Amino acid sequence: MSSQDESKGVAPRSRPRSKRLRAVWQSLETVTDPEIPVINIVEMGMINDVRLDEDHVIVDMTPTFAGCPALDFIRSEIRAAVSGFEKEVKVNVVFDPPWSTDRITEEARQKLKAFGLAPPTPASCEKGQEDMQHVPCPLCDSTHTSLESIFGPTLCRSIHYCHDCLQSFEHFKTIR
Amino acid sequence: MIATIDTLHDMEASLKSAVIDLLYRLADDAIIIGHRGSEWTGFAPILEEDIAFSSMAQDDMGHAQTFYQMLFELGEPDPDTNVFARKLDQWTCAGMVSISSQRDWAMSLVRKYFYDVAASIRLDALAEGALVPLAQLARKLRSEKKYHLMHGTMWIPRLGTGTRESHQLMQSAVDTLYPHALGMFEPTSADLLLEQAGVCPREDELRKRWQAEVENVLCGATLKVDADMSPVFGGRAGKHPKDLMALLDDMQLVYNLDPHAKW
């Protein structure tokens, strides 16, 4: 992964060197954020690094929102998921590089949309240009939509209304 | 060129205690404004604002937690002890966040906006600062703070230029809160050291940036600021409005029933 990608805040997906390390990453893919059950924490870009040493599996995770109430729950889920390697599990909470919605994989964005949650503005859009007033509707793709509320049922969501299919919908807010 | 400080343990004693002082102010402001925000859960004038104040409160408390955690790494008490066991005069939050808004939504909205501009300016400055772990954290937190600012900058003009009643309520909130808002920038003995080390600009400099931004938005909302108002200081030195005592009694009640309980 080039340094250019990293500067955009894309997850530094380390290439697992060993079979064991790959297995740890695969185990992490079984852990989901309970508030967004359709995508796993690796697809979410919440895992910054995984390392193995003599006695430990070390997982660096970065929180989506600092006040995310699911954080402790996710940490314990990570511990449980990688408990099968006969090593002590250490889960560090790190802020560098910080989590951003640009780290959510394209595949995961499609899953969010299928879940009925309008995905965050893609990284290719100019910074600061995200238009909260005309977020594309995840149900009919119309941009004839309006922002109802910046805050929604979870910290990461806002509430919108589609004037074409006459449905309200939620949007995963862009964080960068 | 100011040298960067790569870890929390690379600081000499005097700078370390200045950083601890700064972190307490950041953390205490955030947890108390968060608690004030949470008082609207279930009571806000419309459902969307109930959700907004509750969500913003959750963010602010989350931000406070990260600052308390950093304090813990610097050898201070753990976050729970700091929040639930500290006595009134040990708190360093600015008076503005302590004042009870008595379920006055205009007051709460204006206060939250004043705080959010100050918090954003601080986070922007810290993000460029020399203390690397704090700069990293600030970059993360400001990505969330922008939505709080968006909330305030949407509502302030809407109500300032709304009906005569909404304008009066907003003007009255600005008049009441502005001197306390200036008090968020109470100079402290840590200022000079933090500035010299490149961690954070002086409070006085931050206040100038805050006034420029806030007065611009208030002007657009047809709300006036009396230029002669002088700041109300005291919070940073542990002197608080009596409302804070009531808040602490409320917030610390359950913990104090059994401080050694395991949760």
Side-chain angles (χ1 to χ4, degrees), chain B residues 111-154:
Chain B
R111 184 239 305 268
K112 177 73 179 128
Y113 172 68
F114 284 173
Y115 168 76
D116 285 334
V117 176
S120 300
I121 285 169
R122 284 185 206 282
L123 292 175
D124 282 343
L126 292 170
E128 306 302 318
L131 183 54
V132 173
L134 186 53
Q136 289 171 349
L137 178 60
R139 283 196 280 274
K140 166 63 190 149
L141 301 186
R142 71 177 173 180
S143 70
E144 301 173 13
K145 208 67 197 155
K146 74 172 181 191
Y147 288 105
H148 299 206
L149 270 184
M150 211 185 270
H151 177 263
T153 48
M154 181 181 77

Side-chain angles (χ1 to χ4, degrees), chain A residues 63-67 69 95-96 98-99 130 132 148-152 155 173-176, chain B residues 48 51-52 55-56 58-59 62-63 66 136-137 140-141 143-144 146-148 150-151 154:
Chain A
T64 50
F65 279 72
F95 290 97
D96 182 52
W99 184 79
E130 64 251 35
M132 295 274 288
E148 293 282 297
S149 173
I150 298 171
F151 297 94
L155 288 185
K173 281 187 277 198
T174 305
I175 291 281
R176 58 164 76 109
Chain B
E48 285 80 357
I51 296 168
S55 298
M56 293 190 292
Q58 200 180 331
D59 278 337
H63 294 191
T66 61
Q136 289 171 349
L137 178 60
K140 166 63 190 149
L141 301 186
S143 70
E144 301 173 13
K146 74 172 181 191
Y147 288 105
H148 299 206
M150 211 185 270
H151 177 263
M154 181 181 77

Side-chain angles (χ1 to χ4, degrees), chain A residues 112-119 135-142 145 162 169-171:
Chain A
L112 286 176
K113 193 179 167 213
F115 184 56
L117 199 55
V135 170
C137 171
L139 305 169
C140 75
D141 295 319
S142 166
T145 66
C162 176
F169 65 92
E170 291 166 11
H171 165 57

Side-chain angles (χ1 to χ4, degrees), chain A residues 80-165:
Chain A
V82 296
S83 63
F85 293 87
E86 289 163 10
K87 287 171 188 284
E88 195 189 328
V89 181
K90 282 211 278 192
V91 185
N92 299 322
V93 175
V94 298
F95 290 97
D96 182 52
W99 184 79
S100 109
T101 45
D102 296 346
R103 299 172 62 145
I104 301 175
T105 63
E106 183 49 41
E107 202 185 353
R109 276 171 202 280
Q110 293 308 319
K111 288 185 195 170
L112 286 176
K113 193 179 167 213
F115 184 56
L117 199 55
T121 313
S124 53
C125 289
E126 276 298 298
K127 276 191 177 157
Q129 290 299 304
E130 64 251 35
D131 185 353
M132 295 274 288
Q133 287 298 340
H134 303 287
V135 170
C137 171
L139 305 169
C140 75
D141 295 319
S142 166
T143 51
H144 186 205
T145 66
S146 53
L147 172 66
E148 293 282 297
S149 173
I150 298 171
F151 297 94
T154 69
L155 288 185
C156 52
R157 306 186 197 183
S158 49
I159 303 173
H160 302 255
Y161 185 74
C162 176
H163 300 282
D164 281 336
C165 70

Side-chain angles (χ1 to χ4, degrees), chain B:
Chain B
M1 187 72 194
I2 287 168
T4 58
I5 307 158
D6 292 331
T7 80
L8 291 176
H9 307 291
D10 289 343
M11 295 183 285
E12 55 167 78
S14 57
L15 180 59
K16 184 176 157 186
S17 83
V19 166
I20 287 174
D21 184 88
L22 169 68
L23 287 169
Y24 268 113
R25 285 181 269 133
L26 293 166
D28 289 355
D29 279 359
I31 194 85
I32 299 299
I33 194 88
H35 191 90
R36 287 292 181 216
S38 77
E39 292 172 340
W40 283 108
T41 304
F43 297 97
I46 55 173
L47 179 63
E48 285 80 357
E49 287 311 298
D50 198 307
I51 296 168
F53 268 86
S54 305
S55 298
M56 293 190 292
Q58 200 180 331
D59 278 337
D60 286 329
M61 289 178 182
H63 294 191
Q65 192 171 14
T66 61
F67 294 131
Y68 287 123
Q69 184 60 35
M70 199 171 273
L71 281 163
F72 180 58
E73 286 161 31
L74 284 163
E76 293 295 296
D78 67 82
D80 278 355
T81 307
N82 257 331
V83 173
F84 296 119
R86 253 184 316 154
K87 303 278 180 265
L88 181 69
D89 62 0
Q90 296 173 300
W91 285 78
T92 60
C93 43
M96 189 189 77
V97 297
S98 302
I99 300 169
S100 169
S101 60
Q102 305 283 354
R103 300 245 166 96
D104 177 332
W105 197 63
M107 277 270 282
S108 296
L109 197 60
V110 171
R111 184 239 305 268
K112 177 73 179 128
Y113 172 68
F114 284 173
Y115 168 76
D116 285 334
V117 176
S120 300
I121 285 169
R122 284 185 206 282
L123 292 175
D124 282 343
L126 292 170
E128 306 302 318
L131 183 54
V132 173
L134 186 53
Q136 289 171 349
L137 178 60
R139 283 196 280 274
K140 166 63 190 149
L141 301 186
R142 71 177 173 180
S143 70
E144 301 173 13
K145 208 67 197 155
K146 74 172 181 191
Y147 288 105
H148 299 206
L149 270 184
M150 211 185 270
H151 177 263
T153 48
M154 181 181 77
W155 276 107
I156 303 279
R158 187 184 283 179
L159 293 178
T161 62
T163 63
R164 187 197 288 194
E165 186 189 13
S166 75
H167 177 85
Q168 279 170 354
L169 287 168
M170 293 295 278
Q171 184 62 58
S172 154
V174 169
D175 293 344
T176 307
L177 289 168
Y178 205 85
H180 297 282
L182 294 175
M184 288 190 286
F185 306 96
E186 179 173 347
T188 78
S189 56
D191 282 10
L192 188 62
L193 214 52
L194 292 170
E195 184 190 49
Q196 283 170 347
V199 173
C200 183
R202 282 167 196 257
E203 291 299 303
D204 203 40
E205 166 59 27
L206 296 170
R207 177 189 51 79
K208 284 181 198 151
R209 295 180 199 176
W210 181 87
Q211 279 184 294
E213 190 170 332
V214 161
E215 287 177 15
N216 187 35
V217 167
L218 292 181
C219 181
T222 70
L223 296 166
K224 291 182 179 59
V225 173
D226 177 0
D228 296 331
M229 281 195 272
S230 51
V232 177
F233 289 144
R236 304 306 187 198
K239 296 187 184 71
H240 300 287
K242 64 173 178 7
D243 294 353
L244 183 60
M245 192 65 240
L247 184 153
L248 294 181
D249 284 345
D250 194 18
M251 189 170 77
Q252 300 177 336
L253 175 78
V254 174
Y255 178 91
N256 285 322
L257 292 175
D258 184 359
H260 303 294
K262 290 266 178 281
W263 292 83

